[in-house]
Amino acid sequence: MRLFSKYCQVGVFLLIASPFAIAETDVISPNEAATMRIKNKAVIVDVRENDDWNEHQIHGAIHIPLSQLNERLAELEPYKNRPVITQCQAGLRSAQAQLILKAAGFPKVYLMNGGIQAWHGQGFVTE
């Protein structure tokens, strides 16, 4: 079992003890996420709740709230062999989603560091 500590942009330490712990290489920037999405190499899964999703979302992202992710894993099955990027408001829920997807057998799951707040901070637009 590995223990990994990652500083999130919201100023909180995220400690995860799991055989599927997050490695530094599994965390990508909004710029990297945008590049992967534009090149159609990755799918973004937004795990925010409905109210946040309805305010704004990344074009083409799949919306599955973290609270429903376990029950809706089958919806992501077509993307199992592609990189999947988890995204939330600031990065904490997407870390949990990343662990769920790894445990479900998704081999390439990345956390977008800083969530949609960082996406906006980099000047990327939302719908």
mmCIF file of all heavy atoms in Angstrom, residues 77-108:
data_model
loop_
_atom_site.group_PDB
_atom_site.id
_atom_site.type_symbol
_atom_site.label_atom_id
_atom_site.label_comp_id
_atom_site.label_asym_id
_atom_site.label_seq_id
_atom_site.Cartn_x
_atom_site.Cartn_y
_atom_site.Cartn_z
ATOM 1 N N GLU A 77 -17.728 2.676 -19.679
ATOM 2 C CA GLU A 77 -17.099 1.482 -20.255
ATOM 3 C C GLU A 77 -16.570 1.711 -21.679
ATOM 4 O O GLU A 77 -15.474 1.240 -21.997
ATOM 5 C CB GLU A 77 -18.091 0.317 -20.221
ATOM 6 C CG GLU A 77 -17.455 -1.028 -20.410
ATOM 7 C CD GLU A 77 -16.512 -1.448 -19.282
ATOM 8 O OE1 GLU A 77 -16.721 -1.055 -18.122
ATOM 9 O OE2 GLU A 77 -15.556 -2.170 -19.595
ATOM 10 N N PRO A 78 -17.274 2.443 -22.552
ATOM 11 C CA PRO A 78 -16.736 2.675 -23.906
ATOM 12 C C PRO A 78 -15.402 3.433 -23.919
ATOM 13 O O PRO A 78 -14.691 3.425 -24.911
ATOM 14 C CB PRO A 78 -17.820 3.503 -24.595
ATOM 15 C CG PRO A 78 -19.063 3.221 -23.834
ATOM 16 C CD PRO A 78 -18.623 2.976 -22.421
ATOM 17 N N TYR A 79 -15.066 4.098 -22.818
ATOM 18 C CA TYR A 79 -13.847 4.902 -22.743
ATOM 19 C C TYR A 79 -12.735 4.209 -21.957
ATOM 20 O O TYR A 79 -11.699 4.815 -21.688
ATOM 21 C CB TYR A 79 -14.153 6.262 -22.099
ATOM 22 C CG TYR A 79 -15.298 6.959 -22.753
ATOM 23 C CD1 TYR A 79 -16.556 6.988 -22.158
ATOM 24 C CD2 TYR A 79 -15.145 7.570 -24.000
ATOM 25 C CE1 TYR A 79 -17.624 7.617 -22.786
ATOM 26 C CE2 TYR A 79 -16.206 8.200 -24.629
ATOM 27 C CZ TYR A 79 -17.438 8.214 -24.009
ATOM 28 O OH TYR A 79 -18.490 8.843 -24.628
ATOM 29 N N LYS A 80 -12.935 2.948 -21.605
ATOM 30 C CA LYS A 80 -12.009 2.252 -20.722
ATOM 31 C C LYS A 80 -10.588 2.172 -21.277
ATOM 32 O O LYS A 80 -9.623 2.164 -20.522
ATOM 33 C CB LYS A 80 -12.531 0.851 -20.403
ATOM 34 C CG LYS A 80 -11.917 0.264 -19.168
ATOM 35 C CD LYS A 80 -12.710 -0.910 -18.678
ATOM 36 C CE LYS A 80 -12.291 -1.271 -17.270
ATOM 37 N NZ LYS A 80 -13.159 -2.268 -16.691
ATOM 38 N N ASN A 81 -10.433 2.113 -22.581
ATOM 39 C CA ASN A 81 -9.101 2.008 -23.177
ATOM 40 C C ASN A 81 -8.527 3.355 -23.608
ATOM 41 O O ASN A 81 -7.495 3.397 -24.271
ATOM 42 C CB ASN A 81 -9.126 1.031 -24.353
ATOM 43 C CG ASN A 81 -9.421 -0.366 -23.870
ATOM 44 O OD1 ASN A 81 -8.886 -0.818 -22.865
ATOM 45 N ND2 ASN A 81 -10.301 -1.062 -24.572
ATOM 46 N N ARG A 82 -9.217 4.440 -23.252
ATOM 47 C CA ARG A 82 -8.727 5.790 -23.541
ATOM 48 C C ARG A 82 -8.357 6.461 -22.233
ATOM 49 O O ARG A 82 -8.861 6.090 -21.173
ATOM 50 C CB ARG A 82 -9.820 6.613 -24.222
ATOM 51 C CG ARG A 82 -10.113 6.167 -25.633
ATOM 52 C CD ARG A 82 -11.237 6.951 -26.249
ATOM 53 N NE ARG A 82 -11.010 8.397 -26.258
ATOM 54 C CZ ARG A 82 -11.950 9.275 -26.570
ATOM 55 N NH1 ARG A 82 -13.174 8.864 -26.884
ATOM 56 N NH2 ARG A 82 -11.691 10.553 -26.578
ATOM 57 N N PRO A 83 -7.526 7.476 -22.275
ATOM 58 C CA PRO A 83 -7.270 8.241 -21.060
ATOM 59 C C PRO A 83 -8.558 8.921 -20.583
ATOM 60 O O PRO A 83 -9.328 9.444 -21.399
ATOM 61 C CB PRO A 83 -6.238 9.278 -21.490
ATOM 62 C CG PRO A 83 -5.590 8.684 -22.693
ATOM 63 C CD PRO A 83 -6.676 7.901 -23.386
ATOM 64 N N VAL A 84 -8.796 8.878 -19.289
ATOM 65 C CA VAL A 84 -9.945 9.518 -18.663
ATOM 66 C C VAL A 84 -9.393 10.566 -17.703
ATOM 67 O O VAL A 84 -8.495 10.280 -16.911
ATOM 68 C CB VAL A 84 -10.822 8.501 -17.906
ATOM 69 C CG1 VAL A 84 -11.947 9.201 -17.155
ATOM 70 C CG2 VAL A 84 -11.373 7.449 -18.858
ATOM 71 N N ILE A 85 -9.939 11.780 -17.784
ATOM 72 C CA ILE A 85 -9.519 12.869 -16.910
ATOM 73 C C ILE A 85 -10.675 13.188 -15.971
ATOM 74 O O ILE A 85 -11.770 13.510 -16.428
ATOM 75 C CB ILE A 85 -9.142 14.124 -17.723
ATOM 76 C CG1 ILE A 85 -8.009 13.802 -18.700
ATOM 77 C CG2 ILE A 85 -8.767 15.284 -16.794
ATOM 78 C CD1 ILE A 85 -7.773 14.861 -19.762
ATOM 79 N N THR A 86 -10.434 13.098 -14.670
ATOM 80 C CA THR A 86 -11.475 13.450 -13.705
ATOM 81 C C THR A 86 -11.332 14.927 -13.353
ATOM 82 O O THR A 86 -10.230 15.455 -13.233
ATOM 83 C CB THR A 86 -11.394 12.586 -12.431
ATOM 84 O OG1 THR A 86 -10.112 12.753 -11.821
ATOM 85 C CG2 THR A 86 -11.619 11.126 -12.757
ATOM 86 N N GLN A 87 -12.480 15.581 -13.192
ATOM 87 C CA GLN A 87 -12.492 17.020 -12.959
ATOM 88 C C GLN A 87 -13.651 17.372 -12.042
ATOM 89 O O GLN A 87 -14.735 16.810 -12.158
ATOM 90 C CB GLN A 87 -12.598 17.720 -14.315
ATOM 91 C CG GLN A 87 -12.838 19.196 -14.273
ATOM 92 C CD GLN A 87 -14.297 19.513 -14.533
ATOM 93 O OE1 GLN A 87 -14.877 19.063 -15.516
ATOM 94 N NE2 GLN A 87 -14.899 20.296 -13.667
ATOM 95 N N CYS A 88 -13.395 18.277 -11.099
ATOM 96 C CA CYS A 88 -14.458 18.780 -10.226
ATOM 97 C C CYS A 88 -14.270 20.294 -10.078
ATOM 98 O O CYS A 88 -13.758 20.939 -10.994
ATOM 99 C CB CYS A 88 -14.443 18.053 -8.875
ATOM 100 S SG CYS A 88 -12.961 18.331 -7.886
ATOM 101 N N GLN A 89 -14.652 20.847 -8.951
ATOM 102 C CA GLN A 89 -14.539 22.289 -8.755
ATOM 103 C C GLN A 89 -13.095 22.719 -8.484
ATOM 104 O O GLN A 89 -12.614 23.654 -9.084
ATOM 105 C CB GLN A 89 -15.454 22.729 -7.600
ATOM 106 C CG GLN A 89 -15.620 24.220 -7.467
ATOM 107 C CD GLN A 89 -16.379 24.838 -8.637
ATOM 108 O OE1 GLN A 89 -17.171 24.195 -9.307
ATOM 109 N NE2 GLN A 89 -16.114 26.096 -8.892
ATOM 110 N N ALA A 90 -12.416 21.997 -7.557
ATOM 111 C CA ALA A 90 -11.063 22.403 -7.183
ATOM 112 C C ALA A 90 -10.066 21.248 -7.144
ATOM 113 O O ALA A 90 -8.879 21.475 -7.003
ATOM 114 C CB ALA A 90 -11.096 23.094 -5.825
ATOM 115 N N GLY A 91 -10.525 20.015 -7.254
ATOM 116 C CA GLY A 91 -9.600 18.892 -7.317
ATOM 117 C C GLY A 91 -9.788 17.797 -6.294
ATOM 118 O O GLY A 91 -9.225 16.719 -6.449
ATOM 119 N N LEU A 92 -10.553 18.030 -5.248
ATOM 120 C CA LEU A 92 -10.682 17.020 -4.199
ATOM 121 C C LEU A 92 -11.611 15.868 -4.581
ATOM 122 O O LEU A 92 -11.255 14.697 -4.426
ATOM 123 C CB LEU A 92 -11.130 17.661 -2.885
ATOM 124 C CG LEU A 92 -10.154 18.682 -2.308
ATOM 125 C CD1 LEU A 92 -10.721 19.341 -1.065
ATOM 126 C CD2 LEU A 92 -8.806 18.056 -2.033
ATOM 127 N N ARG A 93 -12.789 16.180 -5.098
ATOM 128 C CA ARG A 93 -13.720 15.108 -5.501
ATOM 129 C C ARG A 93 -13.175 14.331 -6.691
ATOM 130 O O ARG A 93 -13.382 13.118 -6.806
ATOM 131 C CB ARG A 93 -15.099 15.676 -5.840
ATOM 132 C CG ARG A 93 -15.907 16.081 -4.616
ATOM 133 C CD ARG A 93 -17.174 16.749 -5.034
ATOM 134 N NE ARG A 93 -16.843 18.102 -5.495
ATOM 135 C CZ ARG A 93 -17.732 19.000 -5.865
ATOM 136 N NH1 ARG A 93 -19.016 18.698 -5.870
ATOM 137 N NH2 ARG A 93 -17.369 20.193 -6.245
ATOM 138 N N SER A 94 -12.467 15.009 -7.571
ATOM 139 C CA SER A 94 -11.924 14.309 -8.727
ATOM 140 C C SER A 94 -10.844 13.315 -8.314
ATOM 141 O O SER A 94 -10.649 12.294 -8.979
ATOM 142 C CB SER A 94 -11.401 15.283 -9.777
ATOM 143 O OG SER A 94 -10.469 16.173 -9.239
ATOM 144 N N ALA A 95 -10.157 13.557 -7.207
ATOM 145 C CA ALA A 95 -9.187 12.584 -6.691
ATOM 146 C C ALA A 95 -9.904 11.317 -6.236
ATOM 147 O O ALA A 95 -9.438 10.205 -6.494
ATOM 148 C CB ALA A 95 -8.384 13.190 -5.543
ATOM 149 N N GLN A 96 -11.037 11.480 -5.588
ATOM 150 C CA GLN A 96 -11.827 10.314 -5.174
ATOM 151 C C GLN A 96 -12.333 9.564 -6.396
ATOM 152 O O GLN A 96 -12.299 8.335 -6.438
ATOM 153 C CB GLN A 96 -13.009 10.751 -4.304
ATOM 154 C CG GLN A 96 -12.589 11.311 -2.977
ATOM 155 C CD GLN A 96 -13.772 11.886 -2.215
ATOM 156 O OE1 GLN A 96 -14.581 12.634 -2.765
ATOM 157 N NE2 GLN A 96 -13.876 11.532 -0.955
ATOM 158 N N ALA A 97 -12.797 10.300 -7.399
ATOM 159 C CA ALA A 97 -13.290 9.677 -8.633
ATOM 160 C C ALA A 97 -12.165 8.916 -9.328
ATOM 161 O O ALA A 97 -12.376 7.813 -9.852
ATOM 162 C CB ALA A 97 -13.873 10.732 -9.565
ATOM 163 N N GLN A 98 -10.985 9.486 -9.323
ATOM 164 C CA GLN A 98 -9.838 8.825 -9.944
ATOM 165 C C GLN A 98 -9.583 7.469 -9.285
ATOM 166 O O GLN A 98 -9.362 6.473 -9.972
ATOM 167 C CB GLN A 98 -8.606 9.725 -9.834
ATOM 168 C CG GLN A 98 -7.380 9.140 -10.516
ATOM 169 C CD GLN A 98 -6.160 9.995 -10.311
ATOM 170 O OE1 GLN A 98 -5.951 10.539 -9.232
ATOM 171 N NE2 GLN A 98 -5.337 10.111 -11.345
ATOM 172 N N LEU A 99 -9.642 7.417 -7.979
ATOM 173 C CA LEU A 99 -9.417 6.152 -7.276
ATOM 174 C C LEU A 99 -10.512 5.135 -7.586
ATOM 175 O O LEU A 99 -10.230 3.947 -7.764
ATOM 176 C CB LEU A 99 -9.325 6.399 -5.776
ATOM 177 C CG LEU A 99 -8.112 7.204 -5.317
ATOM 178 C CD1 LEU A 99 -8.177 7.459 -3.817
ATOM 179 C CD2 LEU A 99 -6.820 6.516 -5.700
ATOM 180 N N ILE A 100 -11.747 5.594 -7.686
ATOM 181 C CA ILE A 100 -12.860 4.699 -8.017
ATOM 182 C C ILE A 100 -12.654 4.100 -9.407
ATOM 183 O O ILE A 100 -12.819 2.894 -9.608
ATOM 184 C CB ILE A 100 -14.209 5.450 -7.926
ATOM 185 C CG1 ILE A 100 -14.533 5.768 -6.464
ATOM 186 C CG2 ILE A 100 -15.341 4.629 -8.575
ATOM 187 C CD1 ILE A 100 -15.692 6.749 -6.282
ATOM 188 N N LEU A 101 -12.283 4.931 -10.360
ATOM 189 C CA LEU A 101 -12.088 4.449 -11.728
ATOM 190 C C LEU A 101 -10.901 3.491 -11.826
ATOM 191 O O LEU A 101 -10.965 2.478 -12.516
ATOM 192 C CB LEU A 101 -11.930 5.619 -12.690
ATOM 193 C CG LEU A 101 -13.196 6.451 -12.900
ATOM 194 C CD1 LEU A 101 -12.884 7.710 -13.702
ATOM 195 C CD2 LEU A 101 -14.268 5.634 -13.585
ATOM 196 N N LYS A 102 -9.821 3.785 -11.118
ATOM 197 C CA LYS A 102 -8.676 2.874 -11.113
ATOM 198 C C LYS A 102 -9.071 1.521 -10.519
ATOM 199 O O LYS A 102 -8.704 0.478 -11.051
ATOM 200 C CB LYS A 102 -7.512 3.478 -10.341
ATOM 201 C CG LYS A 102 -6.771 4.539 -11.108
ATOM 202 C CD LYS A 102 -5.567 5.005 -10.326
ATOM 203 C CE LYS A 102 -4.733 5.962 -11.135
ATOM 204 N NZ LYS A 102 -3.445 6.208 -10.498
ATOM 205 N N ALA A 103 -9.819 1.551 -9.434
ATOM 206 C CA ALA A 103 -10.265 0.310 -8.800
ATOM 207 C C ALA A 103 -11.199 -0.479 -9.713
ATOM 208 O O ALA A 103 -11.262 -1.710 -9.632
ATOM 209 C CB ALA A 103 -10.953 0.613 -7.473
ATOM 210 N N ALA A 104 -11.904 0.222 -10.605
ATOM 211 C CA ALA A 104 -12.823 -0.432 -11.536
ATOM 212 C C ALA A 104 -12.099 -0.920 -12.798
ATOM 213 O O ALA A 104 -12.746 -1.427 -13.712
ATOM 214 C CB ALA A 104 -13.950 0.528 -11.922
ATOM 215 N N GLY A 105 -10.790 -0.772 -12.846
ATOM 216 C CA GLY A 105 -10.024 -1.314 -13.958
ATOM 217 C C GLY A 105 -9.702 -0.351 -15.074
ATOM 218 O O GLY A 105 -9.225 -0.770 -16.132
ATOM 219 N N PHE A 106 -9.942 0.938 -14.887
ATOM 220 C CA PHE A 106 -9.568 1.923 -15.902
ATOM 221 C C PHE A 106 -8.064 2.175 -15.757
ATOM 222 O O PHE A 106 -7.619 2.655 -14.710
ATOM 223 C CB PHE A 106 -10.357 3.226 -15.720
ATOM 224 C CG PHE A 106 -11.792 3.124 -16.147
ATOM 225 C CD1 PHE A 106 -12.734 2.492 -15.343
ATOM 226 C CD2 PHE A 106 -12.206 3.651 -17.358
ATOM 227 C CE1 PHE A 106 -14.058 2.386 -15.733
ATOM 228 C CE2 PHE A 106 -13.528 3.563 -17.762
ATOM 229 C CZ PHE A 106 -14.459 2.920 -16.950
ATOM 230 N N PRO A 107 -7.279 1.853 -16.783
ATOM 231 C CA PRO A 107 -5.826 1.911 -16.628
ATOM 232 C C PRO A 107 -5.205 3.306 -16.703
ATOM 233 O O PRO A 107 -4.159 3.549 -16.127
ATOM 234 C CB PRO A 107 -5.305 1.045 -17.775
ATOM 235 C CG PRO A 107 -6.367 1.117 -18.819
ATOM 236 C CD PRO A 107 -7.670 1.280 -18.074
ATOM 237 N N LYS A 108 -5.838 4.235 -17.411
ATOM 238 C CA LYS A 108 -5.263 5.564 -17.624
ATOM 239 C C LYS A 108 -6.230 6.623 -17.118
ATOM 240 O O LYS A 108 -7.061 7.126 -17.864
ATOM 241 C CB LYS A 108 -4.983 5.794 -19.104
ATOM 242 C CG LYS A 108 -4.000 4.823 -19.710
ATOM 243 C CD LYS A 108 -3.894 5.064 -21.201
ATOM 244 C CE LYS A 108 -3.093 3.964 -21.864
ATOM 245 N NZ LYS A 108 -3.144 4.047 -23.319
#
